Amino acid sequence: MKERLTDALYGLGWATVKKLPEPLAAALGRTVADTAWKRRGKGVLRLEANLARVVPDAGPERLAELSKAGMRSYMRYWMESFRLPTWDEERARRSFELSGIDRLTDGLAAGKGVVLALPHLANWDLAGVWATRALGIPFTTVAERLKPETLYDRFVEYRESLGMEVLPHTGGSAFGTLARRLRDGRMVCLVADRDLSSSGVEVKFFGETARMPAGPALLAQQTGALLLPVTLWYDDTSVMKGRIHPPVELPETGTRAEKTSVMTQALADAFATGIADHPEDWHMLQRLWLADLDTSGHEGRRP
């Protein structure tokens, strides 16, 4: 029943929010965010606990301010995402500004594949629409299999409508397909600040141990693709901002596991820089650090 209700709510969002005038949709998002924040549910409390590590000198009042802003940012993500399928090329182009884009375009022009690795900052779907519709650069990504299956199908259909090729996270074939795309000189985008498997790489993240996926580093090693960290943020305008960080270098020595560890730590450091600059835009409402994980190693996931 809970899964069916979740699916129905997402379906209602996609069907109705995109039809609302933009100011009304934005106001609705703020209202939903503020209501959720006032209820102090599990997600809000976990967000505050995570932000306490990002901003260690913040007192209770500051953490409450950050979590309230964080919930508004999170709901802005959803309100925008529900509306993205209706955006044309011009709307997509003027909704995002990206610095360091030459690192991406030069890599693709050189015939190299490019792996863009992002944390859960601001709206990665909006950045994807900008890439496909404003730049004309198609890319491949992965999506976790959600329950119920109809909800997963909704997300796949939604992201494919935005011009993305979407592969299932589970099943074992995604890595090989991603590697083929990169060898063909194409782009792969992966949200990579939280491990969804038991084979993640341990990194130091804001002073404590967390686990992040090995995939981006392994793909870069295996294919010779450029590995670029990307961070996103909102400001007080309607235009999301982003930065492509310097490429993560492939270590010259070491085993594959050692190289993967070094490269994943470099990603974590770049992510930490962007998150520390804009903590209110980090939508991490789940447990992340190993000290917080239960014995299964995971907590509720989201797309």
Side-chain angles (χ1 to χ4, degrees), residues 4 27 29-30 52 72 115-116 171 177 183 185 204 209 215 302:
R4 289 198 296 271
R30 289 192 297 271
R72 286 191 169 194
V115 180
L116 297 184
T177 303
R183 291 193 184 98
K204 285 297 181 182
T209 303
R302 70 177 180 85

Side-chain angles (χ1 to χ4, degrees), residues 16 40 45 72 82 85 97 105 123 130 138 168 170 186 212:
T16 60
R40 310 291 293 163
L45 295 178
R72 286 191 169 194
F82 287 142
E97 294 178 0
T105 54
N123 193 334
W130 182 81
T170 56
R186 296 177 60 180
M212 294 187 181

Side-chain angles (χ1 to χ4, degrees), residues 201 203 212-214 217 248 259-269:
V201 178
V203 296
M212 294 187 181
V248 173
K259 291 178 180 179
T260 300
S261 178
V262 170
M263 296 172 75
T264 306
Q265 182 63 61
L267 281 181
D269 292 343

Side-chain angles (χ1 to χ4, degrees), residues 79-295:
M79 293 298 107
E80 286 177 343
S81 295
F82 287 142
R83 300 169 66 82
L84 283 177
T86 68
W87 286 15
D88 59 17
E89 178 182 327
E90 175 57 29
R91 181 70 174 89
R93 186 184 303 279
R94 60 186 170 87
S95 296
F96 183 42
E97 294 178 0
L98 180 65
S99 65
I101 188 174
D102 56 305
R103 293 177 172 133
L104 167 62
T105 54
D106 289 353
L108 292 173
K112 282 190 170 184
V114 176
V115 180
L116 297 184
L118 306 88
H120 286 80
L121 272 170
N123 193 334
W124 46 98
D125 284 327
L126 190 160
V129 167
W130 182 81
T132 60
R133 295 189 178 173
L135 295 185
I137 301 176
F139 66 89
T140 305
T141 188
V142 297
E144 180 193 2
R145 283 201 175 276
L146 304 170
K147 292 182 179 181
E149 189 75 13
T150 51
L151 180 57
Y152 170 76
D153 292 340
R154 285 186 191 276
F155 273 98
V156 170
E157 181 180 3
Y158 155 67
R159 287 186 168 131
E160 288 181 343
S161 77
L162 304 180
M164 310 175 193
E165 179 187 22
V166 183
L167 308 175
H169 182 270
T170 56
S173 62
F175 187 91
T177 303
L178 294 173
R180 287 193 294 273
R181 300 293 182 268
L182 292 169
R183 291 193 184 98
D184 289 339
R186 296 177 60 180
M187 184 168 75
V188 164
C189 297
L190 301 170
V191 179
D193 58 342
R194 186 168 183 264
D195 178 51
L196 292 178
S197 72
S198 59
S199 58
V201 178
E202 291 190 3
V203 296
K204 285 297 181 182
F205 195 53
F206 292 102
E208 293 190 44
T209 303
R211 190 182 291 123
M212 294 187 181
L218 287 172
L219 284 166
Q221 288 180 64
Q222 185 165 314
T223 66
L226 202 61
L227 177 55
L228 297 174
V230 181
T231 54
L232 310 171
W233 67 93
Y234 293 125
D235 55 19
D236 57 0
T237 74
S238 61
V239 180
M240 187 177 73
K241 307 300 191 298
R243 174 192 176 196
I244 298 181
H245 296 251
V248 173
E249 300 293 337
L250 174 64
E252 294 183 0
T253 60
T255 65
R256 185 172 73 165
E258 289 168 342
K259 291 178 180 179
T260 300
S261 178
V262 170
M263 296 172 75
T264 306
Q265 182 63 61
L267 281 181
D269 292 343
F271 293 166
T273 297
I275 292 167
D277 287 343
H278 305 281
E280 67 279 4
D281 290 323
W282 190 40
H283 306 153
M284 188 55 67
L285 279 69
Q286 302 87 19
R287 299 179 191 269
L288 176 70
W289 284 273
L290 297 192
D292 294 336
L293 293 174
D294 60 22
T295 55

